[in-house]
Amino acid sequence: MLFFNFLIAFIVGGFICVIGQLLMDVFKLTPGHTLSILVVVGAVLDGLGLYEPLIDFAGAGATIPITSFGNSLTHGALAEAERHGWVGVLTGMFEVTSSGISAAIVFGFIAALIFKPKGKAN
């Protein structure tokens, strides 16, 4: 049973990644455009109530890809909007996703210190 859970997570997470790769390869979208599309898709799926069943089915295969960030934004906004109205929409998004955003900033800074990134050469 544990192997089956890993297999489903791998297949679903891999499928999400394949969609992202196809967006870049077939439609020639930039990584930034692809990232934005996947976040919006995750947000829309959560707004329609479809992302939570996907998480229940695939586990980490649905919570690790970037679509989960859109899901978290919408999920937090909707939950806080029910409690606090329109103000809750903004506070809910930031409350749920602040740790992930903070971690990305901190680890990005550490990586920049270690690897000394260079700008694009003209």
Side-chain angles (χ1 to χ4, degrees), residues 73-95:
L73 286 171
T74 304
H75 201 72
L78 292 175
E80 289 297 314
E82 287 180 18
R83 283 187 249 161
H84 301 291
W86 287 103
V87 174
V89 171
L90 292 175
T91 60
M93 286 190 301
F94 296 126
E95 184 178 315

Side-chain angles (χ1 to χ4, degrees), residues 20-32:
Q21 193 65 48
L22 287 173
L23 288 171
M24 288 190 291
D25 291 346
V26 174
F27 298 104
K28 305 296 183 203
L29 296 177
T30 65

Side-chain angles (χ1 to χ4, degrees), residues 28-44:
K28 305 296 183 203
L29 296 177
T30 65
H33 286 106
T34 302
L35 175 88
S36 298
I37 289 170
L38 291 174
V39 168
V40 169
V41 166
V44 169

Side-chain angles (χ1 to χ4, degrees), residues 10-80:
F10 178 78
I11 290 170
V12 171
F15 182 71
I16 293 170
C17 293
V18 165
I19 291 171
Q21 193 65 48
L22 287 173
L23 288 171
M24 288 190 291
D25 291 346
V26 174
F27 298 104
K28 305 296 183 203
L29 296 177
T30 65
H33 286 106
T34 302
L35 175 88
S36 298
I37 289 170
L38 291 174
V39 168
V40 169
V41 166
V44 169
L45 288 176
D46 187 63
L48 296 173
L50 300 175
Y51 207 83
E52 288 300 317
L54 181 63
I55 291 173
D56 293 340
F57 174 71
T63 58
I64 300 300
I66 194 66
T67 51
S68 178
F69 185 70
N71 166 57
S72 296
L73 286 171
T74 304
H75 201 72
L78 292 175
E80 289 297 314

